[in-house]
Structures are given as structure tokens and as C-alpha cells.
Amino acid sequence: MDTNSSANKGSMGRLEGMIKCLNETIPDSQVTVLHRYFDLNNTDLKRLGLKYPRVNIKEHPWFQERSSFLTTGFYFIFNALFFKILNKKKLLSEYDVLVDLNFIEPEKLVDKFALMIFIGVLFTLLSLKNTLSCDKPVVVCSATIGPYGNLFNKLAKNYLNKVDLITYREAYSQKYVDALGVKLPKKVLTGDLAFLMDPIKKEDIKQIASKLNINCDDSFIGITPAAMANSNFSEEINVKLLLDISNFIIKETDYNLIFMANTYQDVELQEKIYSAVDNQDRVLSLPFEYSASETKSIISLCDFFICSRFHALVASTSLGVPSIGLVSYSYNKFHGILGEMMGQDEYLLDIDENFNYETFLANFKSKILDVSQNKFEIAADLKKKEKLLKKQVLLNGKLIQDILRSN
């Protein structure tokens, strides 16, 4: 059960990671993706279908993307209210277990997007309610859960106590759900599914590099901005910071730059920075048309990576690419997964209520020089941790297999 945007490369990375997890742990299983953004002309889902021909991709039974936010909300609420009646037709009776991938963000992700995130969490909880009504084993998989407000705490406690298994992608959620009063015996810390998404084959990377006029013998720093941020980090400051850092790198080092957006929301921001940067002959703005795995492959060409988007950092650290993360939203997720699990807390720079531009910029420049000098040691450490974390992520599939066997 996946309702995340197919134009978000992090969401596609998680979905592809789930498919790979099941392929490796339960190779004889038949996987169906029930997707909110299902469309016969959806380029991302068509690519997914071609890459995994044994995977069925169908329209989500009650959450379907429409032409506007209001229309989408109306369709969701209508389908959610009447799903029990519709379910008399046993819409999901063919499946042995239902895996919910939608618990990925807390209610208060960033203050600037509070209303949208409130609605998103509400839809996630109501979607789980419908899933539970199907009388099938239900797994909330590789989840970030909470913190929620009082209303959602009660709903979350009620619904989560009825699922068969919860797996978490960071320790904070595990502690939060325990404190919430969820008594479910099967609650396991695993990891983020996107760590399992592979880059494309090396020969295909070379073809893309050739098409983009990238000389693979050059040295690159990748930069991914994020439009999502708290109110201490306006778009104006965001652009200025990444522009100042880009110009610093071009002036003070031999690195070339590759700008790449990880979600459709960040494309305009990327173009604003690229259009204003000095020496554009040393900068490439990667077209957004490339898939999640193709974009991950471009990251693999970089000596190190600077990023404000969580899943782009998952991609870079899983490749062993030394990375600096700018954290302006969802601090528990960044620090819990990239900081604690991947051991990179030293290279996560928080943008919060204590943010001071000049102090932050000076620290940022210092971190860039630090990573540049120690990139081989950092890369070696990342590769060790990545191997261990991938094993932990594969535990999701093994636990789902246990549920299948017991039923």
C-alpha cells in the first residue's frame, strides 16, 4: 500500500527498496503495488514495471490522485467512508499480507507546511483503518511515527495496536510508539528501505554521463537543495547559502558541481541557484527527468555530496559517498538514521532557532574542507556501516515471511 508521490525520488527509492527486499527474502512471492498515483502514462511507474516485470502495479483502492488537492481529498474521504461497503466485494481478498509504507513523516515535520502535513497524517491513519478492515495480516513497514498531536495520538494508538507487525527505520519512533501505549509484541527496529535501491549498471552510467557531457575523470561535488524547511530558513536564505557555498567551492577547490533535485518541489529552487552561480562552465544542472536509481548513479560519480533532502543523503551514504547534510526539517529522522545508524552526526548541520548565517556559513566551509581532506577514511567507514544496515533493512522481508508462514 503506497500513496507517496511517484515524482518524489525518495518515495520511489523506498518503494523499489521494498520490492528488492521481498525479492531477496521471499523470491517466490507475487508482489502487487497499490499506488495512489497510478496512471498508464505515469513515467515513473512504467519504469518500475519494466524493471520488475513480475510486480503488478494497480490503482490504490481508496486513495487516488486527482486533478486538484480538493478533488483528491473528496475522493479519499468518500472511498474511506464507504470502503466497508465496497469491501463486501473483497477487493483485497487475493493478498496474503498487506504492507503499509505510508508512515514516513511526523505531524510537525516543518512549521511552514503544518496544515498539509496535518492532512497527510490524517489520511495515513484513516488509510490504515481501512487496511485493517480487510481482515488480512497488516504490516506497518520501515516507519517513522510521530510525534503527533493529542487527537492523532489516540487514533494512532488505537490503529497501531491492531496491526500484526511494526518495523521502524529509526530508534526515536520505537521509543515514541512504546510511550504511546502500543502493546503490540512485534515491534522491530530495521532501517530505511531506500538503502536497498541499487544504482543502474556501470555501462549505463557511462552512457548518461556521456549524454550530459560529464567527464568521469573529473572531480565532482553533488548538491541537492530542499524547498521543505522550517521558518528559520527562508527560500531567500536557502538560495543565498547554497550560492555562497557553490561559489566558495568553485573559487577555493578544483571540484566541479552537479546540482540535482530529489523531488519535483525542489526543481525551481535548483534552477534559481544554478542561474546565479559563478563559472557555470564548471556546473551541471541535472534534468529532473532521470529516475531515482539513475539519479543515485549520478551521485556515485561525486567525490562528496552536500544535501538538504533526507533520501538523497540515504542514496549518497549508501554508496559510500562522504556527505554533509543540512537539516532544516524532521531532525529525529536525519539524526536517527544518518547520524546514529550511519555514524555521520558530525556532518549533519542543524538549521534551527539558533541559526546565524555567518556562523553557519563559516562552519559549513570548514566542514567542506574537512570532508575533502578525509574523504577516503569517511568513505571506508560508510561502506562498512552500509553493509550492516542493509542486512538490518532486509529483516523487513524476513519478518513478513514469518507472518506468511504463520498464516
Side-chain angles (χ1 to χ4, degrees):
M1 315 293 293
D2 186 71
T3 65
N4 299 305
S5 172
S6 59
N8 183 315
K9 294 174 185 179
S11 297
M12 289 302 291
R14 293 186 78 247
L15 179 54
E16 192 167 329
M18 183 78 260
I19 292 169
K20 186 181 177 188
C21 178
L22 294 173
N23 282 350
E24 290 198 19
T25 55
I26 322 173
D28 58 342
S29 61
Q30 175 61 61
V31 177
T32 298
V33 176
L34 301 173
H35 207 285
R36 163 185 170 187
Y37 285 79
F38 177 81
D39 187 315
L40 293 175
N41 297 314
N42 185 313
T43 303
D44 299 302
L45 296 184
K46 283 168 72 175
R47 284 173 176 159
L48 191 70
L50 290 171
K51 191 170 183 178
Y52 300 97
R54 289 183 60 246
V55 173
N56 294 324
I57 303 175
K58 297 181 179 180
E59 189 170 48
H60 198 286
W62 56 80
F63 202 174
Q64 296 142 21
E65 186 66 17
R66 299 302 183 193
S67 56
S68 71
F69 178 77
L70 287 175
T71 310
T72 300
F74 172 79
Y75 270 87
F76 173 84
I77 293 168
F78 177 84
N79 288 330
L81 288 174
F82 292 101
F83 181 72
K84 283 191 175 182
I85 298 171
L86 296 173
N87 198 38
K88 289 180 179 179
K89 300 177 183 178
K90 303 295 182 184
L91 292 177
L92 302 180
S93 62
E94 63 190 285
Y95 308 116
D96 297 302
V97 63
L98 301 174
V99 180
D100 190 329
L101 298 181
N102 297 302
F103 282 78
I104 56 170
E105 305 296 5
E107 179 187 337
K108 296 178 181 178
L109 183 69
V110 286
D111 46 12
K112 290 195 293 185
F113 293 85
L115 177 61
M116 293 295 292
I117 292 160
F118 178 90
I119 293 170
V121 172
L122 175 63
F123 283 9
T124 294
L125 292 172
L126 292 178
S127 186
L128 178 60
K129 176 177 179 289
N130 277 2
T131 307
L132 288 165
S133 74
C134 296
D135 197 28
K136 295 286 182 178
V138 175
V139 177
V140 171
C141 192
S142 186
T144 287
I145 301 176
Y148 299 145
N150 289 332
L151 171 64
F152 287 162
N153 277 342
K154 293 176 182 177
L155 288 178
K157 177 182 177 181
N158 182 28
Y159 299 149
L160 291 172
N161 265 313
K162 296 176 182 178
V163 305
D164 294 79
L165 168 68
I166 303 172
T167 67
Y168 307 99
R169 55 180 178 168
E170 29 70 26
Y172 174 83
S173 292
Q174 188 173 27
K175 294 173 183 175
Y176 176 79
V177 171
D178 287 345
L180 198 60
V182 176
K183 304 300 183 182
L184 190 74
K186 286 190 176 180
K187 295 179 289 184
V188 183
L189 178 63
T190 56
D192 194 288
L193 291 162
F195 278 101
L196 296 179
M197 183 184 67
D198 290 323
I200 61 176
K201 296 177 181 177
K202 287 186 178 180
E203 54 267 28
D204 295 327
I205 299 176
K206 290 179 181 177
Q207 286 184 7
I208 293 177
S210 176
K211 182 178 178 181
L212 295 169
N213 294 318
I214 294 175
N215 184 348
C216 295
D217 294 326
D218 289 342
S219 297
F220 295 97
I221 294 177
I223 297 181
T224 290
M228 183 175 285
N230 63 56
S231 56
N232 299 293
F233 199 45
S234 67
E235 182 177 301
E236 182 182 0
I237 296 173
N238 196 348
V239 171
K240 177 175 169 54
L241 178 65
L242 291 178
L243 190 58
D244 285 348
I245 282 298
S246 298
N247 289 332
F248 167 77
I249 291 168
I250 290 170
K251 183 180 178 181
E252 301 295 334
T253 76
D254 295 326
Y255 289 108
N256 296 314
L257 300 177
I258 304 177
F259 293 148
M260 55 192 94
N262 207 53
T263 84
Y264 63 95
Q265 299 160 310
D266 304 333
V267 173
E268 184 179 350
L269 185 63
Q270 173 181 315
E271 290 306 315
K272 284 182 179 179
I273 301 165
Y274 172 72
S275 64
V277 75
D278 296 339
N279 300 95
Q280 282 191 354
D281 58 311
R282 288 179 57 188
V283 183
L284 169 70
S285 183
L286 185 71
F288 189 68
E289 66 198 47
Y290 290 99
S291 69
S293 56
E294 287 171 335
T295 303
K296 183 171 183 174
S297 302
I298 298 299
I299 294 173
S300 73
L301 300 176
C302 299
D303 285 61
F304 71 90
F305 194 56
I306 294 168
C307 182
S308 306
R309 274 286 176 190
F310 171 74
H311 272 115
L313 282 171
V314 169
S316 63
T317 55
S318 70
L319 291 163
V321 176
S323 303
I324 297 173
L326 308 183
V327 186
S328 59
Y329 69 93
S330 203
Y331 297 88
N332 293 320
K333 183 170 65 176
F334 276 84
H335 286 281
I337 298 171
L338 299 165
E340 186 175 338
M341 289 179 156
M342 292 299 285
Q344 297 301 295
D345 220 45
E346 181 182 354
Y347 300 107
L348 295 177
L349 308 181
D350 287 348
I351 297 168
D352 52 24
E353 65 275 4
N354 299 314
F355 178 75
N356 175 275
Y357 187 86
E358 295 302 328
T359 303
F360 191 92
L361 181 62
N363 186 32
F364 197 173
K365 290 177 178 178
S366 176
K367 289 293 181 185
I368 288 172
L369 298 176
D370 178 8
V371 172
S372 183
Q373 292 170 2
N374 299 289
K375 61 185 179 183
F376 297 111
E377 293 86 349
I378 296 170
D381 185 55
L382 281 172
K383 287 173 183 176
K384 288 179 185 176
K385 288 186 168 63
E386 176 264 343
K387 287 181 181 178
L388 295 172
L389 187 53
K390 276 189 175 178
K391 289 181 180 178
Q392 197 167 329
V393 178
L394 285 171
L395 183 59
N396 285 292
K398 293 173 183 176
L399 292 166
I400 292 169
Q401 185 181 51
D402 290 344
I403 292 175
L404 286 168
R405 285 174 174 168
S406 65
N407 285 273

